[in-house]
Each structure stands twice: as structure tokens, then as C-alpha cells.
Amino acid sequence: YGILMNCCCRTRRPELGLAFFGRVLRMGLRTNVVVATTVLQCLCGAKRTDEAVDILLHRMSELGCVPDDFSYNIVLKSLCDDSRSQRALDLLRMWENERGVCSPNVYTYNTVIHGFFKEGEVSKACNLFHEMAQKGVPPNVVTYSLTIDALCKARAMDKAQLFLRQMIHKGVRPNNVTYNVMIHGYCTLGQWKEAGKMFREMTRQGLIPDIVTWTSFMASLCKHGRTKEAAEFFDSMTAKGHKPDLVMYHVLLHGYATEGCFADMINLFNSMATKGTRSVSRCMDLFNSNICTLQNG
DNA sequence: ATAGGGTTAG
């Protein structure tokens, strides 16, 4: 019945899963941590976080199963998504004090750090960043990436750059996400030259820019009144058979709309039905030449 | 079974 619960949860019918779970309990069937955690996922997916907290803290032990790290992390994420990261931190503290079989792991810290950054609680996020390392949970590529992202969004590109160097120094390899947030940060500020540097560093590491790299590049062009260049980039992409996704269309459509290019909008709208491929790896040279053009112009 | 990146509308 765990599988059935999971289905209810994933098909966005949490109430079905919960009703079913209630029946299972009334029938006197035993449950275990995995199934109980699926119930937590159901509740959190239905934005019923408080009930999930209640089950986590009280009902699970009544049912004879001890919450594990997955159970906690799912509820913590839900609290953070509700912009209640401080409540999440309180729960994390309770968990630590229980001194049970498991303790907060890298997922836990990443979840709450991300929550604090999202709420603008920068110092609380930074405190946790330092705390996790002290407690023997080293920050990983996700921790660094979300921290760098927060710095970029605060327009603190120098600090973001320092964190990037620090992670490399500590042996944590940046990935696409890491470089994408850096490139996005520089492009947003119109610092095309710096963005180009990041792009080259990224490819030098053997990383292949993806649809997110291209989309944020195009969006920045549009925001700087250079929709025409974004459109050219887009056209050369599609001409090579790469299939843009919905977000990319939105970006360009919005760019056209802003500049009053309604005929182009209609054309693009009609071409959305055209087929293409998903691969974007061959866009690298395109991006490179675009960046070069921008630097020279 | 859990964590991070791109867009728009209002």
C-alpha cells in the first residue's frame, strides 16, 4: 500500500492518499517509516504543512516508527517553501536535541539555508553555512551554488566570485548550476565581458552549457533593449535544429512585446509548433561569437 | 523517497 500511497501523492490527489492511509490504520495494518514519510509528502504537497509537522513530531512515534532524516527534510522543505524558515530552524534544533540515530545532513542545511536566503535573512543563512562545516557536514556544490546565487541576486558579484574561488580551493567542483548563476548575475548587470569569462571557464572545465545558460543570456539581452540580438541568437539556435523550450519562447515573446514588434511576435507564436531537438551542446560556438560581438560592440 | 540555476502574467 506504500506504492499506492505514493501514486495518490504524485497524481496530486493527496486527500485520496490520506484517506487511504486512515483506512489502513483502522484496519490495524502496521506501517513503517517509508510509508509514514510518503504521508508527510502527501500533506506537504497539499500545502498542509502544519499537519505534517504534527505527524512528524507526535503521530509517527505513536505508530511505532521513528522519523528519519528523509522525514525531517521533507517537512523542513515545506516550512521553508511557506516562508517559515525560522520555524524550520527551530525544528532542526529539536531534531538535533533528540540525539537519535540520524542528525541533520547536507540536504537539511541546504534546504534551510536556501529558505533563509529566499526570505532575505542573509545573516541567518550565513550562520548556518558556517555551522554545518563545524558540525562535520561540509558544504557541497549545492550549498555553494545557492549561496553564490543569493550573492549574485544581491548584485554582490565580487563576493560571489570569492565564493566560487573558495569552493574550488576546497575541492568542491562547480557544475552547470554554479556557472549559470554567475553568468546570469553578470549578464543581468550588463557585464558581458565578465559573463564571457565565466562562460569560457565553464567550458574549460568540460561543462556543457545548457538551456538555462542560453535562456538567461537571451533574457538579459532583451532586458538591455537588445531583443534583436536575442532573436538572432534564437534563430541560429533553431536553424541548427535545437528545440527551444517554453521558457525560451516566453523570453523572446516578451522581448518583442516590449519593443512593439508585434509581427515578429505572431511569427514566433506560429513557429512554436515547429519541431526541433532538445540538444543545446552545439550552441556553444554561437554563444561564444555572440559574447565576442558584444564585447567588441 | 529529500537540497540549488533561466521566463512571463498580475
Side-chain angles (χ1 to χ4, degrees):
Chain A
Y1 71 84
I3 293 170
L4 194 52
M5 284 283 308
N6 209 330
C7 287
C8 294
C9 184
R10 296 204 312 195
T11 52
R12 294 168 174 275
R13 297 293 302 276
E15 67 291 346
L16 266 184
L18 293 168
F20 184 62
F21 185 63
R23 276 188 91 111
V24 166
L25 292 183
R26 279 193 295 276
M27 285 162 68
L29 289 176
R30 283 188 58 82
T31 189
N32 60 34
V33 200
V34 177
V35 176
T37 303
T38 305
V39 176
L40 295 179
Q41 277 180 306
C42 271
L43 285 166
C44 292
K47 300 252 176 268
R48 290 161 63 177
T49 313
D50 290 319
E51 290 163 78
V53 173
D54 179 57
I55 292 189
L56 177 82
L57 294 179
H58 309 111
R59 310 279 165 254
M60 279 180 76
S61 51
E62 286 172 12
L63 295 170
C65 50
V66 183
D68 62 8
D69 44 350
F70 283 92
S71 323
Y72 275 101
N73 288 341
I74 281 153
V75 176
L76 288 171
K77 170 86 161 68
S78 193
L79 284 168
C80 291
D81 287 346
D82 287 353
S83 298
R84 291 153 76 196
S85 304
Q86 182 54 53
R87 179 77 185 85
L89 183 58
D90 297 340
L91 186 57
L92 190 155
R93 297 296 178 221
M94 287 182 61
W95 177 13
E96 284 177 320
N97 293 333
E98 272 174 14
R99 308 219 147 267
V101 281
C102 61
S103 48
N105 57 24
V106 68
Y107 289 86
T108 317
Y109 285 105
N110 289 347
T111 300
V112 183
I113 288 173
H114 183 235
F116 276 135
F117 273 131
K118 223 175 41 173
E119 290 181 43
E121 300 269 24
V122 179
S123 56
K124 286 182 181 178
C126 292
N127 289 342
L128 271 183
F129 187 99
H130 294 117
E131 181 188 313
M132 65 190 287
Q134 280 167 6
K135 294 197 168 160
V137 183
N140 65 8
V141 60
V142 175
T143 326
Y144 275 103
S145 298
L146 63 89
T147 303
I148 290 172
D149 185 40
L151 291 167
C152 289
K153 291 194 167 122
R155 305 169 148 249
M157 293 310 296
D158 292 346
K159 282 188 187 169
Q161 194 65 243
L162 278 176
F163 265 84
L164 177 62
R165 297 305 143 212
Q166 189 194 104
M167 73 184 284
I168 294 169
H169 181 74
K170 298 219 171 186
V172 181
R173 282 191 69 124
N175 61 15
N176 271 29
V177 177
T178 324
Y179 282 108
N180 283 349
V181 300
M182 289 295 298
I183 292 171
H184 182 244
Y186 282 125
C187 285
T188 301
L189 296 174
Q191 299 182 8
W192 311 106
K193 194 171 180 175
E194 298 302 318
K197 272 191 203 163
M198 282 294 99
F199 175 79
R200 283 186 290 276
E201 182 176 318
M202 174 184 196
T203 51
R204 222 184 302 128
Q205 305 290 322
L207 296 170
I208 297 170
D210 54 33
I211 192 110
V212 177
T213 324
W214 314 128
T215 309
S216 71
F217 174 57
M218 279 179 52
S220 297
L221 284 174
C222 291
K223 278 184 187 139
H224 285 84
R226 306 171 82 153
T227 301
K228 191 165 246 174
E229 285 156 275
E232 282 162 11
F233 180 69
F234 182 92
D235 287 340
S236 33
M237 255 188 80
T238 49
K240 292 201 174 188
H242 303 298
K243 187 181 179 181
D245 69 359
L246 209 53
V247 177
M248 240 184 193
Y249 277 109
H250 282 167
V251 168
L252 195 50
L253 283 170
H254 186 254
Y256 282 145
T258 307
E259 297 191 11
C261 310
F262 299 121
D264 290 323
M265 274 185 80
I266 307 288
N267 280 335
L268 187 59
F269 212 81
N270 291 332
S271 74
M272 282 177 75
T274 318
K275 278 194 198 170
T277 78
R278 250 172 229 289
S279 160
V280 287
S281 57
R282 278 183 298 147
C283 291
M284 271 198 294
D285 44 348
L286 274 173
F287 185 93
N288 232 339
S289 61
N290 268 272
I291 279 285
C292 288
T293 314
L294 286 167
Q295 283 174 31
N296 300 329

